[in-house]
């Protein structure tokens, strides 16, 4: 079992049929893995060169180049936000990013 599968098993009831935001998604492997159970998955990162090419196969997954510390989403846009395997990369702005996540979830 892949680590992504283990994570999905832990959070599946929290994301099932919901609008999900994945912050600092990297390759967006988690977003792709969530696509069969979430209503919609938006994923953001500062770069797109690592993006999983399979992302385009999932109509309910949308990637955007975006700074997580200054999201352009409206307040209350999502049911939940996930930061998966990215805490080290965003550690210098973690408190700002958490505040932004709280702003954009319902």
């Amino acid at each position: 079992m892949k680590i992504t599968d283990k994570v999905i098993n832990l959070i599946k009831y929290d994301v099932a049929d919901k609008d999900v935001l994945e912050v600092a998604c990297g390759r967006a492997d988690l977003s792709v893995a969530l696509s069969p159970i979430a209503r919609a998955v938006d994923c953001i990162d500062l770069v797109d060169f690592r993006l999983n090419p399979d992302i385009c196969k999932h109509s309910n997954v949308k990637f955007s180049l975006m700074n997580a510390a200054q999201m352009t989403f409206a307040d209350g846009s999502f049911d939940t936000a996930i930061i998966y395997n990215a805490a080290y990369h965003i550690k210098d702005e973690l408190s700002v990013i958490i505040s932004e996540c709280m702003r954009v979830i319902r």
Side-chain angles (χ1 to χ4, degrees):
M1 179 181 282
K2 297 184 299 185
I3 189 71
T4 306
D5 295 333
K6 290 179 183 180
V7 171
I8 297 295
N9 282 334
L10 290 171
I11 65 171
K12 63 185 172 190
Y13 298 110
D14 296 315
V15 298
D17 297 318
K18 295 187 177 172
D19 297 321
V20 178
L21 170 64
E22 183 184 5
V23 174
C25 68
R27 286 183 39 85
D29 291 334
L30 182 64
S31 291
V32 169
L34 289 173
S35 68
I37 54 177
R39 179 182 314 122
V41 184
D42 279 66
C43 49
I44 64 170
D45 206 304
L46 290 174
V47 297
D48 62 358
F49 69 89
R50 295 177 293 182
L51 203 57
N52 182 335
D54 288 341
I55 198 168
C56 63
K57 296 178 183 176
H58 304 274
S59 61
N60 66 332
V61 179
K62 178 183 173 195
F63 172 80
S64 299
L65 285 170
M66 191 180 304
N67 183 341
Q70 300 172 340
M71 293 186 221
T72 58
F73 299 117
D75 295 356
S77 296
F78 302 96
D79 295 308
T80 192
I82 298 171
I83 300 172
Y84 170 70
N85 204 24
Y88 176 80
H89 302 288
I90 61 173
K91 67 182 183 293
D92 294 338
E93 294 187 288
L94 188 58
S95 62
V96 173
I97 291 170
I98 296 291
S99 293
E100 273 293 276
C101 288
M102 296 304 294
R103 181 185 66 77
V104 299
I105 61 173
R106 298 180 195 43

